[in-house]
Structure formats: C-alpha cells, structure tokens
Amino acid sequence: MPTVTAEPAAPPARLYSPRLRAMTVGSVALVSLLAFEALAVGTAMPTVARSLDGLGLYALAFGGPFASGVIAMVVSGIWCDARGPRAPMWHGVAWFVAGLAVAGAAPTMGVLVAGRVVQGFGSGLLSVALYVIVGQAYPEELRRRVFAAFAAAWVVPSLVGPVLAGLIVEHLGWRWVFLAVPAVAVPAVLLIQPGLRALGGAPRGRAPDGALARIGWACGAGASAALLHHGGQQRGVLAAGLMGAALVGLLLCVPRLLPDGFLRAARGLPTVIGLRGFASAAFAGAEVVIPLMLSRERQFSPTAAGLVLTVGALSWSVGSWLQGRLRPPRSAATLPRAGLACVALGTAGVALALLPGVPVASAVLAWAVAGLGMGLLYPSLSVLTLALSAPEEQGRNSSALQLGDSLAAATVLALTGAVLATGAAPGPAHYAVTLAVAAGCALVGALLAGRVVVRPAVAG
C-alpha cells in the first residue's frame, strides 16, 4: 500500500513577511505622515496666520480641508469599488503633496487655505484606499494586526509632532511644516507600488448606480460640516443660526451616504459604523475639554495637562497591540463592547476630578482606561467592516466608516465649543455637561454593541 505524504502546513502569515513587508512599511509610513500633518498644522497655524495677516481665514484653514476630505472619502470609495485602490492611492498622494506644496509656498492666507483644501482632498482619497488595500492584500487573520499598526502609527506623531512642528517653526520657518512631508510621502507610496500592481488596476466594472448622487450628497455634507465648524467659532445668535443650519444639512445628507438602517441601528454593518461614530464622538468630546479643565480647575501647567493626553495616546497604542494578539473572541461584539465600556468609565472618571477631594491622579488613570478602550475597539470595528463587506463594496463601506467617524467627532466638537462659550468663562458645570455627553455617547454605543452580530436567517 503506497504511503501518502501529507502536504506541509503553510507557514503562518506575517505582516513583515517578504511578500508583505514593503506594503506594510509603506502603508504605516503614509498613516504616520497623515497623522503628523494633522497634528503639526495645529501647532504652526497661529504663526502662519500672523505671518500672512490671515486671522479672518483661520477657521477656514481647518474647516476647508475637513470638508474636502469628506467629499474625497465618498469619491475614493466609489473609485476603489469600480477600479481597485491603485488609482485612488496615487491620486491621493498627488493631491496631498500638491496641497502641501501650495500651502508651503503660499503668499497669502487665501492661497494657503486653497492648498489646505487640496491637501484635505488627498488625505480623504488616501485614507479610504488604505482600508481597501488591507481588505485585498492581507489575509483575514492579519487584518487586526494591520489596523493595530495603523493605530500605533498615530502615537509617535501625537507625542513628537507638536514639539517637532514648534522647533521647525522657530528654527526653519513655518513653511517647512508643509514642505518637508512630501520628501517622505513619495518614497512611502513607492514601497506600496509593487503590491498595488499585484492587486491589479484594470476596471472591475462600472461605477455603481447613484454614484453621482452620492458625490452630490457628499458635497452637501462637506459644506454642512464646514459651516458647523465655522459656526462653532462664533458667538450668540449668529453661532446658533449657523450651527442649526449646519446640523439640518448634516441630517439631510449624511444618512444617504451611510448604509440603510444606520439611523435605527440595524444589525451588522449599520451598527458597526454607528459604534465608530459614538466612540469617536465620545473620545474627541472629552479630549478637547480635559486640558482646559485640568489647567483651570486643578492648576495644571499646559505641559502637565498635555501629558495627560499623551497617556491616553500611549494606552490607545497598548490597546491596539493587545487586540491584535488576543485570540479572536467568540462573539464579534466582545471587543467593541469592552472598548466602549472602557471609554465610558474612563470619561466618567475624568469628570470626578472636578470634585476637590478626588486625587487628580485618578483623572490620569481614568483617561488611560479610555485610551485603552479606543485601542481595543477601533481596529476591531475596521476588521468587522471588511468582514461584512462584499469585495465590490469594500470601498463604499470603508468610506462610510470613516465618514461616520469624522462627522460624529466634528459635530460633538462644535457642540462642545458652543457649550464652553456660554457665559463669561467655562466653569465646572460646563465641563461636567460636556464630559457627561461624551460618556453618554460611549455608554449608548456599549449598549448597542451586540447588534454588530448578524443573526442567521431561520429557514421557514
């Protein structure tokens, strides 16, 4: 009887295997660049506004790229589903680099804002294309680790980005905050190119029906988001009118860009995207309040208050690392529920620091718990989005995930700014309200987390 020789088991897939190494390094480098630019510009912009005498356009320099990024996410999702991620990736880098070049060479604040809008469009194209690349290039068992690496790619920029940007502004000039990044962006995308070529770039089909309508709704959502951002910088009746109009615009446009059933938290993908929005709103709403609260109520120095946020960024990275190495839980709802519960508890713990008898160290520990929760849930929701998406819908659904994330955070930040602006100066009541809203968002998400699981159909 002949002996049957068993086929040797395939070695486990690794992020930095020869086949995936360049793709992983290039993708993580691009995420780091997007993170650095997002954080560094905030540090440089006051100097930019003074240098170009453009204080009147200061808010638009942030709202403009946010709005163009919203439009680009939708465009990139449609493009990736129709033709694959290769072209959106290259165009994203081209728009990103061109926008940085225009901003860095800008003779006036108006030109700088135009460059920022172009840059924001490139960032939106890139962010969605990177998600689709993960779905197509990496086996399912590696996706949690890839998204953990993306989360970690934000940590170093969050730690050194503002400081490095400050040094660049002081010693080289603010223009180099914009002009230095392309020198790294182009090599990063060249690393990805061989892997992109292997994925193919030939048309896989026509753009889906309704693509032009989706882009139109995206333009409406982007304009509403920019108006919301601008309204949040105003005061009194003007602020209320602008923000009210912006919220109406968002309520009209955004549901048409997200999966059916999003507003009623339908099982599966609609709830996955909703949880990402709740998490983003909760964390961003608390993060913007913490430095102000600690400096005014507990006499923290600006450096000490900033270090609390650093603790949250580091624990986010730890949570991402943990979820990438834990055995996959039995239920897809486990990690999102645990993460949102941590965010709710951590935010509530920070609020307790308003009480004079509570040690301030508890606020630092609480924010570390919130960051840990974000690390557990963010990559898991990204993986769930790809798992619940047919290959021809990965672009659209990745776009929806990031749209929900960005718009939820922008809405809560604008409303938080409006709350803090009431009265002569923010006080304990203002901080308590904003932190309660943030904790409430996370708690609602935790209660809905079980709905990410799709129940199997029952045969009749």
Side-chain angles (χ1 to χ4, degrees):
M1 186 172 179
T3 303
V4 178
T5 304
E7 290 289 333
R14 293 180 294 112
L15 283 186
Y16 296 98
S17 63
R19 184 176 69 85
L20 294 174
R21 185 184 299 122
M23 178 77 80
T24 301
V25 172
S27 298
V28 171
L30 283 174
V31 173
S32 293
L33 288 175
L34 294 175
F36 173 79
E37 198 59 30
L39 295 163
V41 166
T43 301
M45 196 56 70
T47 302
V48 174
R50 288 194 300 270
S51 174
L52 299 179
D53 192 23
L55 193 59
L57 295 176
Y58 188 87
L60 192 57
F62 292 96
F66 182 84
S68 64
V70 166
I71 299 167
M73 288 176 192
V74 174
V75 171
S76 187
I78 295 169
W79 202 349
C80 287
D81 287 340
R83 294 180 175 269
R86 184 178 177 184
M89 171 64 67
W90 274 106
H91 276 265
V93 171
W95 284 75
F96 183 66
V97 169
L100 289 170
V102 170
T108 66
M109 192 68 170
V111 175
L112 184 132
V113 169
R116 291 275 289 148
V117 169
V118 172
Q119 174 196 338
F121 191 81
S123 297
L125 292 176
L126 277 172
S127 62
V128 173
L130 283 169
Y131 269 55
V132 176
I133 287 171
V134 172
Q136 294 186 9
Y138 291 85
E140 190 169 352
E141 64 268 21
L142 284 183
R143 290 175 187 170
R144 286 202 298 161
R145 294 194 177 189
V146 177
F147 287 119
F150 285 2
W154 275 83
V155 173
V156 173
S158 69
L159 295 176
V160 306
V163 174
L164 181 59
L167 292 173
I168 291 173
V169 169
E170 289 180 15
H171 298 288
L172 297 177
W174 62 263
R175 296 183 185 277
W176 286 103
V177 173
F178 298 95
L179 296 176
V181 173
V184 184
V186 173
V189 79
L190 288 175
L191 283 174
I192 299 175
Q193 175 60 14
L196 286 176
R197 192 180 296 114
L199 294 179
R204 297 185 296 174
R206 295 176 52 199
D209 293 338
L212 287 178
R214 280 177 56 78
I215 293 173
W217 289 117
C219 291
S224 298
L227 184 62
L228 183 68
H229 187 93
H230 179 66
Q233 311 297 313
Q234 311 305 312
R235 296 291 182 270
V237 176
L238 178 60
L242 292 175
M243 292 179 66
L247 289 173
V248 169
L250 289 174
L251 287 173
L252 181 65
C253 298
V254 173
R256 290 166 170 81
L257 300 171
L258 302 180
D260 292 338
F262 168 77
L263 291 178
R264 55 184 172 84
R267 284 189 172 274
L269 189 64
T271 294
V272 171
I273 290 171
L275 295 189
R276 179 76 167 252
F278 279 122
S280 182
F283 198 82
E287 189 176 45
V288 75
V289 169
I290 288 172
L292 185 63
M293 182 191 81
L294 292 178
S295 62
R296 293 179 67 90
E297 303 300 322
R298 303 304 292 260
Q299 288 71 54
F300 268 42
S301 68
T303 301
L307 285 175
V308 176
L309 300 185
T310 299
V311 169
L314 289 172
S315 63
W316 185 328
S317 179
V318 170
S320 297
W321 182 85
L322 283 174
Q323 67 79 38
R325 282 155 180 79
L326 292 172
R327 180 177 299 175
R330 291 184 177 180
S331 171
T334 299
L335 287 175
R337 182 183 289 120
L340 283 157
C342 286
V343 176
L345 289 172
T347 304
V350 171
L352 291 177
L354 288 166
L355 302 174
V358 175
V360 74
S362 66
V364 181
L365 179 61
W367 194 238
V369 171
L372 182 72
M374 293 295 283
L376 291 175
L377 72 93
Y378 247 58
S380 62
L381 293 176
S382 300
V383 170
L384 272 173
T385 299
L386 294 175
L388 294 170
S389 302
E392 67 274 11
E393 293 181 339
Q394 288 180 343
R396 175 173 181 155
N397 294 338
S398 297
S399 164
L401 183 73
Q402 295 180 55
L403 275 173
D405 181 330
S406 299
L407 293 173
T411 301
V412 166
L413 287 174
L415 296 175
T416 297
V419 171
L420 295 177
T422 59
H430 296 83
Y431 307 130
V433 168
T434 53
L435 290 172
V437 169
C441 287
L443 182 59
V444 171
L447 294 174
L448 292 174
R451 299 184 66 80
V452 303
V453 179
V454 181
R455 289 175 178 168
V458 179

